[in-house]
Amino acid sequence: MDFLRPATWADALAAKAARPGALPLQGGTDVMVELNFDVRRPAALLDLSGIAELRDWEEDGPVLRIGAGVPYARIIDELGARLPGLAQAARTVGSPQIRNRGTLGGNLGAASPAGDGHPPLLAGGAAVEVESAARGVRTIPVGDFFTGVKRNALESDELIRAVRVPPAPGPQYFAKIGTRNAMVIAVCSFALALDPVRRAVGTGVGSAGPTPLRAAAAEEFLAARLDWAGRGPLDAGVAREFGELVRAAAAPIDDVRGTAAYRRHALSVLARRTLGWAWDEHRADTAREAS
Ligand SMILES: Cc1cc2nc3c(=O)[nH]c(=O)nc-3n(C[C@H](O)[C@H](O)[C@H](O)COP(=O)(O)OP(=O)(O)OC[C@H]3O[C@@H](n4cnc5c(N)ncnc54)[C@H](O)[C@@H]3O)c2cc1C
């Protein structure tokens, strides 16, 4: 197996163009497991961990642009206040060691339906910046990035460069169900984002379909039914219906981690629960602004 270790992004793109079968390697927390278990035997590994610009994040106009090689631990520490939903999801990934190595770029590259980074990116309206030497940069809305179980929209000569996501305009929450609290693949997960300025709702559902997905009907329903002025407690009927619409959006299967029926039920609970947290925060924000 050849080991390619470009020092610059331009060299990495050139290497990927020359060897489309080379498997990108960032933190290695998915790739090395697959190699150890002989799930993959690529002719070449393309190690991106030496490329400094992938490990940076920056403000780029209205969005935060997070390099594909920024590990979860830094997302939590450095971006937690501006991307609280993503940071909550990052805190649930693996262990401290995995959070120090594992990256959002690797999560997107693996494109597992259970990837914890995906629901908050869907809820927050993120886009994935990808690039090839031949065609340059293209920006893919994250909802179009996942194309099937562990499949994504990358062409064979493309690499993920960054994720572009607006800073949270309002409350964002993530919740995950697993067989224990840490070091666990999600049985299912849910992310919610409220945008009080645009009066819009974002959702992301994990581990309950061939790809991570949005619950579009639930988003529209909630955006129309919330009292955005934040005057009163959450209407229980609205919360219940929101949960039902999230349940209906899921397309889970029975597998070793849980049944489809359990996943649907759990998602309706997670949807109501995260909505309760988000609404309490929104009401508190509204009260503070009014005083
Ligand atoms: C013990 C353990 C616990 C884990 N727990 C969780 C968990 O709780 N939640 C969760 O979501 N995941 C978990 N994972 C999986 C893994 O940590 C995450 O998916 C992580 O985000 C992968 O990031 P990485 O940088 O290590 O990716 P890598 O392993 O380097 O790469 C992953 C995939 O992405 C591709 N890739 C990497 N970078 C690029 C790029 N720039 N362009 C194109 N393709 C690229 C690779 O070719 C590969 O297919 C766990 C893994 C382990 C070993």
Side-chain angles (χ1 to χ4, degrees):
M1 189 185 301
D2 295 334
F3 191 72
L4 313 174
R5 195 154 203 271
T8 67
W9 180 243
D11 287 350
L13 293 177
K16 189 66 173 140
R19 303 279 302 266
L23 184 67
L25 174 74
Q26 187 67 60
T29 60
D30 277 316
V31 168
M32 295 314 294
V33 174
E34 291 186 343
L35 294 186
N36 282 343
F37 283 92
D38 222 9
V39 177
R40 283 193 202 232
R41 197 50 48 187
L45 283 177
L46 179 60
D47 179 9
L48 303 174
S49 64
I51 299 172
E53 64 204 83
L54 293 184
R55 297 195 302 271
D56 280 342
W57 64 265
E58 62 180 353
E59 287 171 24
D60 187 9
V63 299
L64 294 163
R65 184 172 172 278
I66 307 170
V70 176
Y72 294 110
R74 284 186 49 211
I75 290 174
I76 296 165
D77 289 348
E78 298 169 27
L79 292 168
R82 283 189 279 180
L83 296 172
L86 183 61
Q88 283 171 23
R91 279 189 203 97
T92 76
V93 172
S95 60
Q97 294 90 333
I98 298 295
R99 293 193 287 274
N100 279 330
R101 293 288 310 177
T103 64
L104 215 44
N107 215 220
L108 288 162
S112 162
D116 288 320
H118 308 147
L121 293 181
L122 284 163
V128 188
E129 192 181 305
V130 308
E131 189 168 351
S132 66
R135 296 176 307 285
V137 176
R138 63 184 180 119
T139 303
I140 307 170
V142 73
D144 297 334
F145 186 76
F146 308 108
T147 55
V149 179
K150 299 192 176 182
R151 303 185 80 82
N152 61 40
L154 283 179
E155 300 290 342
S156 62
D157 62 347
E158 282 179 324
L159 293 170
I160 302 165
R161 182 169 178 156
V163 178
R164 304 174 68 82
V165 54
Q172 293 188 341
Y173 285 90
F174 171 84
K176 161 176 167 180
I177 294 208
T179 45
R180 56 187 182 186
N181 268 341
M183 287 287 283
V184 72
I185 302 176
V187 174
C188 62
S189 62
F190 183 72
L192 175 67
L194 297 187
D195 182 343
V197 180
R198 290 175 46 240
R199 301 197 162 192
V201 174
T203 59
V205 174
S207 223
T211 65
L213 50 92
R214 279 177 48 206
E219 293 175 2
E220 279 171 34
F221 165 81
L222 191 60
R225 296 296 294 276
L226 280 181
D227 170 17
W228 288 97
R231 283 179 291 249
L234 186 62
D235 182 296
V238 169
R240 200 163 42 246
E241 181 61 18
F242 178 62
E244 289 307 306
L245 289 168
V246 170
R247 173 205 291 259
I253 54 167
D254 295 339
D255 68 13
V256 286
R257 295 200 303 278
T259 63
Y262 175 73
R263 286 184 157 104
R264 284 189 193 279
H265 169 73
L267 279 169
S268 70
V269 174
L270 294 186
R272 287 201 308 272
R273 191 175 291 166
T274 52
L275 176 56
W277 297 333
W279 189 249
D280 287 348
E281 183 180 327
H282 177 58
R283 279 185 76 195
D285 288 347
T286 312
R288 205 170 28 249
E289 280 158 19
S291 66

